[in-house]
Amino acid sequence: MGVFNQLRIWVLTICLVFQSGYGFYLPGSYPHKYGVGDDLWVKVNSLTSIDTEMPFSYYSLPFCTPDGGIKDSAENLGELLMGDRIENSPYRFNMYKNETEIFLCKSDPLSAEKFNILKDRIDEMYQVNLILDNLPAIRYTTKKEGYVLWWTGYPVGVKLQDVYYIFNHLKFNVLVHKYDETNVARVMGTGDAPDMIPSVGKTESNVPGYMVVGFEVIPCSVTHNVDSVKNLKKYGKYPTAVKCDPNTVSMPIKEGQPIVFTYEVTFEESDIKWPSRWDAYLKMEGSKVHWFSILNSLMVITFLAGIVLVIFLRTVRRDLTRYEELDKEAQAQMNEELSGWKLVVGDVFRTPTNPSLLCIMVGDGVQILGMAVVTILFAALGFMSPASRGTLVTGMLFFYMILGIAAGYVAVRLWRTIGGGDHNGWVSVSWKAACFFPGIAFLILTTLNFLLWGSHSTGAIPFSLFVILLLLWFCISVPLTLVGGYFGAKASPIEFPVRTNQIPREIPAQKYPSWLLVLGAGTLPFGTLFIELFFIMSSIWLGRVYYVFGFLFIVLILLVVVCAEVSLVLTYMHLCVEDWKWWWKSFFASGSVAIYIFLYSVNYLVFDLKSLSGPVSATLYLGYSLFMVVAIMLATGTVGFLSSFWFVHYLFSSVKLD
């Protein structure tokens, strides 16, 4: 029966796509049709703040609770990892019925503990995040300069002249669009898993219905008469008119006094169609600067990297062409006068230090890079919309686990290549590849999670989710990596074009430390992404919705190209000065971009998140930044190493030297 229902949903979805005159609905994203008078229930997300990275439960503050108790909504793995806690709220509406002066509840007198918590949340600029029909509540603010800013959610309160005021009256404005489609699937329900029922007959098509296309909130601080609500029931009519003026506040919080909460709602018919209802959230301020800066960065970096690559290829090809044009006698004489990269022919493929670690890091880098490419591509195609909370993180986890096969294959085959074809010990290499990066991530996240647990934050990963992640790691990711390692052990190793001497050649003294060049090489890849990095950081830490995945995909491709070019150039430069230890240097030549990203993260913390509250929040921010840069280092370092390995192999297989 379940298979039949799934098939029916897909068939009706296809009908909806082809018969709809104006929209395209992705699977899993359906419009809900509400009749006049139908109940609309508002959900609440965790309290969040731009000044701290610790979300807290909405009901940790003295807000009204819903009838029947607090219930969690269905959440996916991505939502849980992001710290989202979707719960029911006491706010309810009736479709297309305007209501004013709705009494919600009267809180208990504020205890000293609740009073201090409320003051702390106001000082830390915490926001209340409400959700209606999967749309976050949006608040507009008009600046003196005339432009309009928008924010998701509304602040808990405000502090003026050492007095704390709470926003205890909410004015909701729900934008609706009339459901006038005929002969298409009707989607009903208010839950997360709606039932799809086809419209039948004229009676159904004549029933008026509406879709929610906008959800706006205006918070107000209003003084209520506590005595006048003693006999009022929830959702009753407040006895006097409530004037909601967002520019004035009049409800100070005091220890030992209760708080009265009220709200009102108006419905407004809008021309916004359901597929376009997220457009308001995706309007990023300064978008022209965003697009122009990225385009300018792409053009400049591409131009500079192209010049370097052209010069580099011309130099190498000239050496090879001149050598191939000589006769045997001239080649023999030339072999006696070799210089530069030709002198390290017997050492260029000498086994590097810690070869197993290098192979493991390259394997994990392939896995991370593949996950990034596939995830961003799917997001750019619209299959991971911001409207589907947690989908992006869930998709990243899924693709990462599947690509464990690639990690095991690359790590083991590279290990066999460096080790001369010996396939003994491939299980150990595969196992280490499956545990290296996840082990680092687990260590960082566990440490940060203890801090969140100690702060009673909802951003803490529940213990049950830890168990789920461990099961996914050891029951899916590790076996797939071992499978990839098995195929890597069966595959033939890459043969080196030249033999390695028994005695290593002494490396001449260098004018400049080689690692100085390696660290400096990361500046060019950093230049390709630092503008995009600003918008990504703003979306993560300032609550903005990131949606330009098409640009992000282009930047990612350009980053891969630049990392390959930079590593090639650095490897060639080292070989020209007879430095044959290129293995690790080629990895860190492009991987050193992670250092600059971490320094940028520190700069962002100091200047853009300068009001971050407390050492715990700063520690959390730096911990998550460290996790991010480790993943970037492995991915970019892998690109540099593989490109350099291909180049060195190609270079020394193109000419025969005795």
Side-chain angles (χ1 to χ4, degrees):
M1 195 63 173
V3 176
F4 173 75
N5 287 334
Q6 291 294 328
L7 180 61
R8 183 182 62 171
I9 289 175
W10 277 100
V11 171
L12 293 176
T13 303
I14 293 173
C15 294
L16 188 65
V17 169
F18 284 99
Q19 295 188 26
S20 174
Y22 54 81
F24 174 75
Y25 306 139
L26 292 172
S29 180
Y30 307 106
H32 294 180
K33 175 186 175 182
Y34 301 96
V36 176
D38 286 351
D39 288 336
L40 298 175
W41 289 95
V42 178
K43 297 179 181 180
V44 62
N45 201 345
S46 306
L47 297 173
T48 56
S49 173
I50 62 174
D51 293 332
T52 179
E53 312 316 320
M54 294 183 293
F56 289 94
S57 171
Y58 172 81
Y59 294 106
S60 64
L61 299 183
F63 291 131
C64 304
T65 56
D67 296 333
I70 302 170
K71 299 177 182 178
D72 292 332
S73 297
E75 295 173 313
N76 56 46
L77 188 60
E79 287 181 278
L80 293 172
L81 289 174
M82 294 297 293
D84 289 335
R85 298 294 183 269
I86 312 298
E87 299 168 321
N88 58 335
S89 81
Y91 295 101
R92 73 174 187 185
F93 315 139
N94 295 109
M95 173 57 76
Y96 222 92
K97 288 189 177 181
N98 299 336
E99 296 180 272
T100 58
E101 291 91 31
I102 305 174
F103 169 72
L104 195 58
C105 76
K106 182 187 74 171
S107 71
D108 296 329
L110 293 179
S111 63
E113 181 183 3
K114 287 289 185 182
F115 177 70
N116 291 327
I117 291 176
L118 194 54
K119 288 197 306 181
D120 291 340
R121 299 296 176 262
I122 293 175
D123 283 333
E124 294 165 354
M125 300 177 63
Y126 267 85
Q127 308 283 314
V128 178
N129 301 293
L130 301 176
I131 302 170
L132 177 65
D133 194 42
N134 201 37
L135 279 180
I138 193 171
R139 175 172 57 94
Y140 293 97
T141 302
T142 304
K143 293 295 184 180
K144 295 180 181 179
E145 294 79 4
Y147 60 89
V148 177
L149 294 177
W150 64 266
W151 308 88
T152 54
Y154 68 92
V156 172
V158 65
K159 180 183 178 182
L160 294 175
Q161 298 178 352
D162 297 328
V163 179
Y164 292 87
Y165 297 88
I166 189 172
F167 292 115
N168 61 331
H169 179 85
L170 300 181
K171 182 178 181 180
F172 296 104
N173 184 37
V174 181
L175 304 180
V176 296
H177 185 80
K178 191 171 182 180
Y179 191 94
D180 53 5
E181 297 285 317
T182 58
N183 300 322
V184 297
R186 177 189 174 194
V187 183
M188 300 181 62
T190 59
D192 292 325
D195 295 326
M196 300 193 61
I197 305 175
S199 302
V200 180
K202 296 181 179 180
T203 303
E204 179 65 29
S205 61
N206 293 330
V207 174
Y210 296 90
M211 297 174 293
V212 177
V213 295
F215 184 36
E216 302 171 1
V217 61
I218 300 176
C220 297
S221 179
V222 180
T223 302
H224 290 308
N225 187 348
V226 178
D227 295 331
S228 65
V229 299
K230 287 183 178 179
N231 299 323
L232 276 182
K233 294 182 179 180
K234 185 177 288 187
Y235 308 118
K237 185 78 171 180
Y238 189 76
T240 59
V242 178
K243 183 180 180 182
C244 181
D245 185 1
N247 297 318
T248 61
V249 290
S250 60
M251 182 57 201
I253 58 172
K254 298 179 181 179
E255 185 178 344
Q257 292 188 3
I259 304 173
V260 176
F261 293 91
T262 57
Y263 70 98
E264 60 184 284
V265 58
T266 58
F267 288 84
E268 178 184 345
E269 195 162 345
S270 172
D271 293 332
I272 300 174
K273 294 179 174 59
W274 190 87
S276 304
R277 66 178 190 159
W278 272 85
D279 288 356
Y281 302 86
L282 303 181
K283 291 179 180 178
M284 187 178 296
E285 294 298 326
S287 59
K288 292 183 179 179
V289 176
H290 173 82
W291 292 74
F292 174 77
S293 298
I294 293 179
L295 182 60
N296 179 69
S297 177
L298 294 175
M299 293 178 63
V300 171
I301 297 301
T302 304
F303 178 73
L304 293 176
I307 292 178
V308 173
L309 186 61
V310 168
I311 296 175
F312 167 60
L313 289 179
R314 280 188 177 181
T315 303
V316 175
R317 293 302 302 172
R318 183 182 58 193
D319 288 347
L320 293 177
T321 302
R322 186 181 64 175
Y323 184 86
E324 291 172 355
E325 290 177 351
L326 298 177
D327 55 21
K328 293 183 178 181
E329 183 178 349
Q331 288 183 9
Q333 182 180 358
M334 183 178 180
N335 288 340
E336 298 177 358
E337 302 174 356
L338 290 178
S339 62
W341 59 270
K342 309 175 191 66
L343 292 174
V344 296
V345 61
D347 299 276
V348 70
F349 290 109
R350 187 176 300 280
T351 302
T353 56
N354 299 317
S356 297
L357 179 60
L358 178 62
C359 298
I360 291 166
M361 293 175 68
V362 171
D364 283 356
V366 169
Q367 187 177 11
I368 295 171
L369 181 63
M371 174 203 67
V373 171
V374 177
T375 303
I376 296 175
L377 180 60
F378 271 77
L381 295 175
F383 289 99
M384 295 180 181
S385 169
S388 301
R389 295 181 302 272
T391 304
L392 192 65
V393 177
T394 304
M396 291 173 64
L397 283 175
F398 173 77
F399 293 132
Y400 179 82
M401 289 187 298
I402 296 299
L403 288 169
I405 297 177
Y409 178 85
V410 172
V412 171
R413 192 177 185 196
L414 180 61
W415 173 75
R416 289 192 63 204
T417 299
I418 296 177
D422 185 12
H423 64 273
N424 294 323
W426 68 267
V427 175
S428 176
V429 175
S430 301
W431 174 258
K432 292 176 182 177
C435 296
F436 180 74
F437 176 72
I440 295 175
F442 186 79
L443 179 62
I444 295 175
L445 294 180
T446 302
T447 304
L448 298 180
N449 214 53
F450 277 117
L451 294 177
L452 291 170
W453 275 335
S455 303
H456 305 287
S457 170
T458 59
I461 301 175
F463 179 76
S464 59
L465 183 57
F466 257 105
V467 175
I468 293 174
L469 291 175
L470 287 175
L471 290 175
L472 291 175
W473 180 8
F474 288 104
C475 297
I476 298 180
S477 182
V478 171
L480 288 177
T481 307
L482 291 174
V483 170
Y486 172 79
F487 286 110
K490 292 296 182 182
S492 59
I494 301 174
E495 296 183 1
F496 295 145
V498 293
R499 294 190 303 269
T500 301
N501 297 333
Q502 293 183 353
I503 302 176
R505 179 184 180 85
E506 183 179 356
I507 300 176
Q510 306 297 320
K511 187 176 182 180
Y512 300 103
S514 59
W515 285 104
L516 184 63
L517 295 176
V518 170
L519 293 177
T523 56
L524 194 58
F526 178 74
T528 66
L529 54 79
F530 81 96
I531 295 178
E532 195 70 20
L533 187 63
F534 169 79
F535 291 97
I536 295 175
M537 299 284 282
S538 299
S539 68
I540 295 175
W541 306 116
L542 297 180
R544 292 292 183 180
V545 180
Y546 188 86
Y547 69 99
V548 285
F549 292 103
F551 262 109
L552 183 60
F553 185 75
I554 295 175
V555 171
L556 178 62
I557 298 301
L558 183 61
L559 176 65
V560 170
V561 174
V562 173
C563 285
E565 293 173 346
V566 167
S567 184
L568 289 178
V569 172
L570 262 294
T571 299
Y572 180 71
M573 290 175 61
H574 284 113
L575 294 179
C576 286
V577 294
E578 303 176 28
D579 185 356
W580 46 268
K581 295 182 178 181
W582 60 272
W583 302 82
W584 281 104
K585 293 172 185 176
S586 65
F587 185 92
F588 287 111
S590 54
S592 62
V593 66
I595 298 176
Y596 299 96
I597 294 177
F598 187 77
L599 294 176
Y600 180 85
S601 300
V602 175
N603 174 80
Y604 191 85
L605 171 64
V606 173
F607 294 101
D608 293 271
L609 299 177
K610 52 188 175 184
S611 56
L612 197 69
S613 59
V616 175
S617 297
T619 303
L620 290 170
Y621 172 85
L622 293 175
Y624 288 125
S625 299
L626 179 62
F627 169 73
M628 177 182 66
V629 299
V630 169
I632 293 175
M633 181 199 69
L634 292 175
T636 54
T638 295
V639 173
F641 172 79
L642 293 179
S643 59
S644 293
F645 182 83
W646 168 85
F647 164 72
V648 173
H649 191 278
Y650 170 79
L651 179 64
F652 285 91
S653 61
S654 299
V655 58
K656 294 182 180 180
L657 297 173
D658 296 330

